[in-house]
Amino acid sequence: MQAAAASRNIAEVVANENVEVAAIDIPEVVGDVEEFNRCGIDVDDLSFSETVSGHINRPYQESKLLIKEIINLDEPIPDPQGTNAWHWEVYGTFNGSEGVYELIIDPETNTVWYFVYKSN
């Protein structure tokens, strides 16, 4: 996973325990709706799969601001499972720990299938 991510232009996001997000070394994200929907995704109207919704111990999970940051920080790749979904891997921090956010969204149903932070 890290080798594939390292070969792509990866930016970083930072989230603290209150799920506040700040971009590092990138232009400020502005409210350009077209930019947020560049992959056919309406972030403001996302739904979450039962699996994602079941992870109540992940405070960042339903942060649409964090999802917007991830989508705008890097180009997605097709879902490694071979579906029509989009997959993002973005380096960042959570509660002071460095790691990677992984996000998979199906643009046809506007559903988050996978959203996890993996600490290094």
Side-chain angles (χ1 to χ4, degrees), residues 19-111:
V19 193
E20 292 178 16
V21 180
I24 299 176
D25 296 328
I26 62 165
E28 182 178 334
V29 175
V30 295
D32 183 357
V33 174
E34 184 176 317
E35 182 178 351
F36 293 143
N37 294 331
R38 68 181 177 184
C39 297
I41 297 165
D42 182 356
V43 175
D44 293 325
D45 194 35
L46 279 174
S47 60
F48 297 85
S49 70
E50 283 188 40
T51 302
V52 173
S53 294
H55 294 290
I56 59 173
N57 60 337
R58 298 177 183 166
Y60 57 83
Q61 176 174 291
E62 292 190 32
S63 171
K64 293 186 179 178
L65 176 59
L66 179 57
I67 292 172
K68 285 178 182 180
E69 291 280 338
I70 292 169
I71 288 173
N72 286 295
L73 287 173
D74 199 9
E75 292 297 318
I77 60 170
D79 178 13
Q81 299 294 321
T83 70
N84 290 327
W86 290 110
H87 178 255
W88 287 265
E89 287 184 13
V90 178
Y91 286 109
T93 63
F94 180 68
N95 286 340
S97 175
E98 294 183 5
V100 176
Y101 286 95
E102 291 186 49
L103 175 65
I104 298 177
I105 300 176
D106 177 1
E108 291 178 19
T109 62
N110 212 50
T111 302

